[in-house]
Amino acid sequence: EKSANYFDSEATPKRAAALLPKAKIITILISPADRAYSWYQHQRAHDDPVALKYSFYEVITARADVMPKLRALRNRCLVPGWYAMHIERWLNQYHANQVLVLDGQLLRSEPAATMEKVQKFLGLQNVIDYHKLLIFDPKKGFWCQLLDGNKAKCLGKSKGRRYPEMDADSRVFLREYYRDSNIELSKLLYKLGQTLPTWLRQELQNNR
């Protein structure tokens, strides 16, 4: 199963462990700033009136006493990006060897290599060579399934949307906002013996 909706849920890890104690958990992380912006754009694409009314910067810098719908959008943009806290919650229910953290940036740029890592983590015997199954589609801007005749089968229009670059003020705000959380994430991944995502190394260097 895959879902982007309950990674940050307080109740879900305990419920999942009660139902599937031997499950293996894979979490794909991109920069929390980019994740926040992506969610905002996702809401705009689905005609969320609050996202359409307010700029991204206005949303993420909104005060706690603003109208409930704006506060809810702000929280949904920002809170899931507290990665270390959320992963710790999963680790309270699952052993560390049941949890794999993937670099979302590398999954996008090097999907075949990333899938090799996933298959190794899952302990699969019949390993699939994704180098032979994927092809880059320049129009879509993503790697897609390779079909007979060297044709590509890509995800639909709702996936991989293109939208304007994040404004500089929002980028600066989020870099500071997530600074401590990103540091905690780096410590947690070192403790787990897992590789730091490319974006996380870049953020840590920028905050020096």
Side-chain angles (χ1 to χ4, degrees):
E1 181 190 11
K2 70 95 181 173
S3 174
N5 293 327
Y6 55 66
F7 163 70
D8 58 310
S9 163
E10 292 187 17
T12 298
K14 187 174 182 179
R15 292 174 179 172
L19 182 64
L20 300 167
K22 296 182 180 180
K24 292 199 172 184
I25 310 300
I26 300 174
T27 180
I28 303 167
L29 304 182
I30 64 171
S31 160
D34 291 338
R35 196 220 66 83
Y37 188 54
S38 177
W39 181 256
Y40 169 78
Q41 293 292 346
H42 174 81
Q43 293 302 98
R44 284 181 62 88
H46 286 79
D47 297 322
D48 181 332
V50 179
L52 292 173
K53 180 178 180 180
Y54 295 94
S55 70
F56 181 58
Y57 185 78
E58 289 172 330
V59 170
I60 61 176
T61 59
R63 300 180 314 193
D65 59 353
V66 297
M67 68 174 190
K69 289 185 178 180
L70 176 55
R71 183 170 64 248
L73 178 58
R74 180 204 62 185
N75 290 344
R76 198 62 204 150
C77 283
L78 296 177
V79 174
W82 302 344
Y83 294 149
M85 182 181 75
H86 303 317
I87 293 174
E88 286 278 16
R89 194 179 292 126
W90 286 93
L91 289 170
N92 287 336
Q93 304 298 328
Y94 288 94
H95 192 276
N97 63 17
Q98 292 176 264
V99 177
L100 174 65
V101 176
L102 291 178
D103 183 342
Q105 190 172 315
L106 282 182
L107 177 59
R108 180 170 179 169
S109 62
E110 302 176 27
T114 302
M115 290 307 299
E116 287 179 0
K117 188 174 184 179
V118 169
Q119 292 180 95
K120 183 178 180 180
F121 170 69
L122 295 176
L124 301 183
Q125 294 182 347
N126 297 321
V127 177
I128 298 173
D129 185 358
Y130 280 88
H131 291 92
K132 299 178 180 179
L133 300 177
L134 300 174
I135 185 172
F136 186 78
D137 188 307
K139 292 183 179 180
K140 186 71 175 178
F142 283 91
W143 289 83
C144 303
Q145 181 182 359
L146 178 61
L147 302 177
D148 292 339
N150 210 38
K151 296 181 179 179
K153 179 183 178 182
C154 300
L155 295 175
K157 294 181 179 179
S158 65
K159 303 297 183 181
R161 296 188 190 92
R162 298 180 185 274
Y163 40 75
E165 289 290 326
M166 188 191 311
D167 64 280
D169 288 341
S170 294
R171 180 71 68 182
V172 170
F173 174 84
L174 291 174
R175 180 172 294 148
E176 180 60 28
Y177 180 87
Y178 285 119
R179 178 179 181 277
D180 291 344
S181 177
N182 284 338
I183 291 174
E184 289 304 309
L185 176 61
S186 69
K187 292 178 180 178
L188 177 59
L189 293 177
Y190 275 128
K191 181 180 177 181
L192 295 174
Q194 298 203 30
T195 305
L196 266 63
T198 306
W199 62 262
L200 180 56
R201 293 198 299 268
Q202 293 172 343
E203 288 293 336
L204 295 174
Q205 292 175 352
N206 291 335
N207 285 322
R208 287 179 179 176

